[in-house]
mmCIF file with all atom_site columns, all heavy atoms in Angstrom:
data_model
loop_
_atom_site.group_PDB
_atom_site.id
_atom_site.type_symbol
_atom_site.label_atom_id
_atom_site.label_alt_id
_atom_site.label_comp_id
_atom_site.label_asym_id
_atom_site.label_entity_id
_atom_site.label_seq_id
_atom_site.pdbx_PDB_ins_code
_atom_site.Cartn_x
_atom_site.Cartn_y
_atom_site.Cartn_z
_atom_site.occupancy
_atom_site.B_iso_or_equiv
_atom_site.pdbx_formal_charge
_atom_site.auth_seq_id
_atom_site.auth_comp_id
_atom_site.auth_asym_id
_atom_site.auth_atom_id
_atom_site.pdbx_PDB_model_num
ATOM 1   N N   . LEU A 1 143 ? 38.245 152.217 138.219 1.00 0.00 ? 803 LEU A N   1
ATOM 2   C CA  . LEU A 1 143 ? 39.270 152.068 137.178 1.00 0.00 ? 803 LEU A CA  1
ATOM 3   C C   . LEU A 1 143 ? 40.705 152.485 137.627 1.00 0.00 ? 803 LEU A C   1
ATOM 4   O O   . LEU A 1 143 ? 41.616 151.692 137.340 1.00 0.00 ? 803 LEU A O   1
ATOM 5   C CB  . LEU A 1 143 ? 38.840 152.982 135.953 1.00 0.00 ? 803 LEU A CB  1
ATOM 6   C CG  . LEU A 1 143 ? 39.806 152.922 134.789 1.00 0.00 ? 803 LEU A CG  1
ATOM 7   C CD1 . LEU A 1 143 ? 39.747 151.598 134.049 1.00 0.00 ? 803 LEU A CD1 1
ATOM 8   C CD2 . LEU A 1 143 ? 39.379 154.117 133.764 1.00 0.00 ? 803 LEU A CD2 1
ATOM 9   N N   . LEU A 1 144 ? 40.856 153.593 138.165 1.00 0.00 ? 804 LEU A N   1
ATOM 10  C CA  . LEU A 1 144 ? 42.155 154.138 138.407 1.00 0.00 ? 804 LEU A CA  1
ATOM 11  C C   . LEU A 1 144 ? 42.857 153.679 139.702 1.00 0.00 ? 804 LEU A C   1
ATOM 12  O O   . LEU A 1 144 ? 44.049 153.406 139.774 1.00 0.00 ? 804 LEU A O   1
ATOM 13  C CB  . LEU A 1 144 ? 42.090 155.734 138.520 1.00 0.00 ? 804 LEU A CB  1
ATOM 14  C CG  . LEU A 1 144 ? 41.534 156.447 137.259 1.00 0.00 ? 804 LEU A CG  1
ATOM 15  C CD1 . LEU A 1 144 ? 41.594 157.881 137.438 1.00 0.00 ? 804 LEU A CD1 1
ATOM 16  C CD2 . LEU A 1 144 ? 42.308 156.000 136.004 1.00 0.00 ? 804 LEU A CD2 1
ATOM 17  N N   . ALA A 1 147 ? 41.581 148.909 139.723 1.00 0.00 ? 807 ALA A N   1
ATOM 18  C CA  . ALA A 1 147 ? 42.141 148.217 138.610 1.00 0.00 ? 807 ALA A CA  1
ATOM 19  C C   . ALA A 1 147 ? 43.560 148.745 138.257 1.00 0.00 ? 807 ALA A C   1
ATOM 20  O O   . ALA A 1 147 ? 44.221 148.169 137.436 1.00 0.00 ? 807 ALA A O   1
ATOM 21  C CB  . ALA A 1 147 ? 41.185 148.320 137.350 1.00 0.00 ? 807 ALA A CB  1
ATOM 22  N N   . GLU A 1 148 ? 43.951 149.824 138.968 1.00 0.00 ? 808 GLU A N   1
ATOM 23  C CA  . GLU A 1 148 ? 45.253 150.398 138.704 1.00 0.00 ? 808 GLU A CA  1
ATOM 24  C C   . GLU A 1 148 ? 45.624 150.508 137.240 1.00 0.00 ? 808 GLU A C   1
ATOM 25  O O   . GLU A 1 148 ? 46.708 150.219 136.699 1.00 0.00 ? 808 GLU A O   1
ATOM 26  C CB  . GLU A 1 148 ? 46.360 149.479 139.410 1.00 0.00 ? 808 GLU A CB  1
ATOM 27  C CG  . GLU A 1 148 ? 46.032 149.330 140.960 1.00 0.00 ? 808 GLU A CG  1
ATOM 28  C CD  . GLU A 1 148 ? 47.138 148.486 141.589 1.00 0.00 ? 808 GLU A CD  1
ATOM 29  O OE1 . GLU A 1 148 ? 47.727 147.665 140.883 1.00 0.00 ? 808 GLU A OE1 1
ATOM 30  O OE2 . GLU A 1 148 ? 47.311 148.654 142.838 1.00 0.00 ? 808 GLU A OE2 1
ATOM 31  N N   . PHE A 1 149 ? 44.687 151.227 136.567 1.00 0.00 ? 809 PHE A N   1
ATOM 32  C CA  . PHE A 1 149 ? 44.852 151.613 135.153 1.00 0.00 ? 809 PHE A CA  1
ATOM 33  C C   . PHE A 1 149 ? 46.055 152.376 134.930 1.00 0.00 ? 809 PHE A C   1
ATOM 34  O O   . PHE A 1 149 ? 46.392 153.305 135.734 1.00 0.00 ? 809 PHE A O   1
ATOM 35  C CB  . PHE A 1 149 ? 43.595 152.297 134.714 1.00 0.00 ? 809 PHE A CB  1
ATOM 36  C CG  . PHE A 1 149 ? 43.763 152.990 133.276 1.00 0.00 ? 809 PHE A CG  1
ATOM 37  C CD1 . PHE A 1 149 ? 43.398 152.210 132.200 1.00 0.00 ? 809 PHE A CD1 1
ATOM 38  C CD2 . PHE A 1 149 ? 44.334 154.198 133.171 1.00 0.00 ? 809 PHE A CD2 1
ATOM 39  C CE1 . PHE A 1 149 ? 43.578 152.852 130.869 1.00 0.00 ? 809 PHE A CE1 1
ATOM 40  C CE2 . PHE A 1 149 ? 44.488 154.776 131.914 1.00 0.00 ? 809 PHE A CE2 1
ATOM 41  C CZ  . PHE A 1 149 ? 44.074 154.116 130.756 1.00 0.00 ? 809 PHE A CZ  1
ATOM 42  N N   . VAL A 1 150 ? 46.862 152.102 133.868 1.00 0.00 ? 810 VAL A N   1
ATOM 43  C CA  . VAL A 1 150 ? 47.897 152.937 133.438 1.00 0.00 ? 810 VAL A CA  1
ATOM 44  C C   . VAL A 1 150 ? 47.721 153.244 131.977 1.00 0.00 ? 810 VAL A C   1
ATOM 45  O O   . VAL A 1 150 ? 47.139 152.492 131.161 1.00 0.00 ? 810 VAL A O   1
ATOM 46  C CB  . VAL A 1 150 ? 49.301 152.219 133.705 1.00 0.00 ? 810 VAL A CB  1
ATOM 47  C CG1 . VAL A 1 150 ? 49.573 152.072 135.135 1.00 0.00 ? 810 VAL A CG1 1
ATOM 48  C CG2 . VAL A 1 150 ? 49.380 150.970 132.952 1.00 0.00 ? 810 VAL A CG2 1
ATOM 49  N N   . PRO A 1 151 ? 48.267 154.482 131.550 1.00 0.00 ? 811 PRO A N   1
ATOM 50  C CA  . PRO A 1 151 ? 48.159 154.807 130.152 1.00 0.00 ? 811 PRO A CA  1
ATOM 51  C C   . PRO A 1 151 ? 48.697 153.694 129.188 1.00 0.00 ? 811 PRO A C   1
ATOM 52  O O   . PRO A 1 151 ? 49.754 153.032 129.588 1.00 0.00 ? 811 PRO A O   1
ATOM 53  C CB  . PRO A 1 151 ? 49.002 156.009 130.021 1.00 0.00 ? 811 PRO A CB  1
ATOM 54  C CG  . PRO A 1 151 ? 48.981 156.676 131.429 1.00 0.00 ? 811 PRO A CG  1
ATOM 55  C CD  . PRO A 1 151 ? 48.912 155.533 132.279 1.00 0.00 ? 811 PRO A CD  1
ATOM 56  N N   . ASP A 1 153 ? 46.905 150.945 128.617 1.00 0.00 ? 813 ASP A N   1
ATOM 57  C CA  . ASP A 1 153 ? 46.119 149.724 128.839 1.00 0.00 ? 813 ASP A CA  1
ATOM 58  C C   . ASP A 1 153 ? 44.974 149.625 127.884 1.00 0.00 ? 813 ASP A C   1
ATOM 59  O O   . ASP A 1 153 ? 44.312 150.628 127.452 1.00 0.00 ? 813 ASP A O   1
ATOM 60  C CB  . ASP A 1 153 ? 45.468 149.790 130.292 1.00 0.00 ? 813 ASP A CB  1
ATOM 61  C CG  . ASP A 1 153 ? 46.468 149.318 131.304 1.00 0.00 ? 813 ASP A CG  1
ATOM 62  O OD1 . ASP A 1 153 ? 47.481 148.679 130.993 1.00 0.00 ? 813 ASP A OD1 1
ATOM 63  O OD2 . ASP A 1 153 ? 46.191 149.583 132.549 1.00 0.00 ? 813 ASP A OD2 1
ATOM 64  N N   . VAL A 1 155 ? 41.170 148.355 127.668 1.00 0.00 ? 815 VAL A N   1
ATOM 65  C CA  . VAL A 1 155 ? 40.186 148.226 128.699 1.00 0.00 ? 815 VAL A CA  1
ATOM 66  C C   . VAL A 1 155 ? 38.848 147.664 128.111 1.00 0.00 ? 815 VAL A C   1
ATOM 67  O O   . VAL A 1 155 ? 38.403 148.104 127.075 1.00 0.00 ? 815 VAL A O   1
ATOM 68  C CB  . VAL A 1 155 ? 39.861 149.625 129.293 1.00 0.00 ? 815 VAL A CB  1
ATOM 69  C CG1 . VAL A 1 155 ? 38.759 149.483 130.361 1.00 0.00 ? 815 VAL A CG1 1
ATOM 70  C CG2 . VAL A 1 155 ? 41.138 150.148 129.985 1.00 0.00 ? 815 VAL A CG2 1
ATOM 71  N N   . ALA A 1 172 ? 38.695 156.140 130.824 1.00 0.00 ? 832 ALA A N   1
ATOM 72  C CA  . ALA A 1 172 ? 39.877 155.418 130.328 1.00 0.00 ? 832 ALA A CA  1
ATOM 73  C C   . ALA A 1 172 ? 40.446 156.089 129.018 1.00 0.00 ? 832 ALA A C   1
ATOM 74  O O   . ALA A 1 172 ? 41.662 156.195 128.884 1.00 0.00 ? 832 ALA A O   1
ATOM 75  C CB  . ALA A 1 172 ? 39.447 153.930 129.918 1.00 0.00 ? 832 ALA A CB  1
ATOM 76  N N   . MET A 1 175 ? 42.293 159.217 130.071 1.00 0.00 ? 835 MET A N   1
ATOM 77  C CA  . MET A 1 175 ? 43.616 158.905 130.704 1.00 0.00 ? 835 MET A CA  1
ATOM 78  C C   . MET A 1 175 ? 44.616 158.132 129.822 1.00 0.00 ? 835 MET A C   1
ATOM 79  O O   . MET A 1 175 ? 45.721 157.736 130.339 1.00 0.00 ? 835 MET A O   1
ATOM 80  C CB  . MET A 1 175 ? 43.341 158.072 132.032 1.00 0.00 ? 835 MET A CB  1
ATOM 81  C CG  . MET A 1 175 ? 42.518 158.791 133.056 1.00 0.00 ? 835 MET A CG  1
ATOM 82  S SD  . MET A 1 175 ? 43.230 160.327 133.678 1.00 0.00 ? 835 MET A SD  1
ATOM 83  C CE  . MET A 1 175 ? 44.481 159.570 134.729 1.00 0.00 ? 835 MET A CE  1
ATOM 84  N N   . GLY A 1 176 ? 44.257 157.924 128.541 1.00 0.00 ? 836 GLY A N   1
ATOM 85  C CA  . GLY A 1 176 ? 45.253 157.415 127.663 1.00 0.00 ? 836 GLY A CA  1
ATOM 86  C C   . GLY A 1 176 ? 45.191 155.892 127.347 1.00 0.00 ? 836 GLY A C   1
ATOM 87  O O   . GLY A 1 176 ? 46.266 155.302 127.072 1.00 0.00 ? 836 GLY A O   1
ATOM 88  N N   . ALA A 1 177 ? 44.025 155.356 127.454 1.00 0.00 ? 837 ALA A N   1
ATOM 89  C CA  . ALA A 1 177 ? 43.831 153.918 127.092 1.00 0.00 ? 837 ALA A CA  1
ATOM 90  C C   . ALA A 1 177 ? 44.254 153.637 125.561 1.00 0.00 ? 837 ALA A C   1
ATOM 91  O O   . ALA A 1 177 ? 43.931 154.596 124.760 1.00 0.00 ? 837 ALA A O   1
ATOM 92  C CB  . ALA A 1 177 ? 42.415 153.466 127.330 1.00 0.00 ? 837 ALA A CB  1
ATOM 93  N N   . VAL A 1 224 ? 42.730 145.408 131.243 1.00 0.00 ? 884 VAL A N   1
ATOM 94  C CA  . VAL A 1 224 ? 41.801 145.745 132.391 1.00 0.00 ? 884 VAL A CA  1
ATOM 95  C C   . VAL A 1 224 ? 40.447 145.307 131.986 1.00 0.00 ? 884 VAL A C   1
ATOM 96  O O   . VAL A 1 224 ? 40.015 145.633 130.880 1.00 0.00 ? 884 VAL A O   1
ATOM 97  C CB  . VAL A 1 224 ? 41.962 147.223 132.705 1.00 0.00 ? 884 VAL A CB  1
ATOM 98  C CG1 . VAL A 1 224 ? 40.763 147.682 133.693 1.00 0.00 ? 884 VAL A CG1 1
ATOM 99  C CG2 . VAL A 1 224 ? 43.227 147.627 133.278 1.00 0.00 ? 884 VAL A CG2 1
ATOM 100 N N   . ARG A 1 246 ? 44.198 143.036 135.168 1.00 0.00 ? 906 ARG A N   1
ATOM 101 C CA  . ARG A 1 246 ? 43.514 143.417 136.335 1.00 0.00 ? 906 ARG A CA  1
ATOM 102 C C   . ARG A 1 246 ? 42.028 143.429 136.149 1.00 0.00 ? 906 ARG A C   1
ATOM 103 O O   . ARG A 1 246 ? 41.598 143.944 135.131 1.00 0.00 ? 906 ARG A O   1
ATOM 104 C CB  . ARG A 1 246 ? 44.019 144.740 136.920 1.00 0.00 ? 906 ARG A CB  1
ATOM 105 C CG  . ARG A 1 246 ? 45.410 144.754 137.528 1.00 0.00 ? 906 ARG A CG  1
ATOM 106 C CD  . ARG A 1 246 ? 46.459 145.072 136.421 1.00 0.00 ? 906 ARG A CD  1
ATOM 107 N NE  . ARG A 1 246 ? 46.392 146.442 136.093 1.00 0.00 ? 906 ARG A NE  1
ATOM 108 C CZ  . ARG A 1 246 ? 46.693 146.968 134.878 1.00 0.00 ? 906 ARG A CZ  1
ATOM 109 N NH1 . ARG A 1 246 ? 47.245 146.044 133.923 1.00 0.00 ? 906 ARG A NH1 1
ATOM 110 N NH2 . ARG A 1 246 ? 46.611 148.144 134.565 1.00 0.00 ? 906 ARG A NH2 1
#
Side-chain angles (χ1 to χ4, degrees):
L803 178 69
L804 302 183
E808 299 180 340
F809 170 90
V810 294
D813 278 343
V815 177
M835 297 297 287
V884 168
R906 288 92 67 208

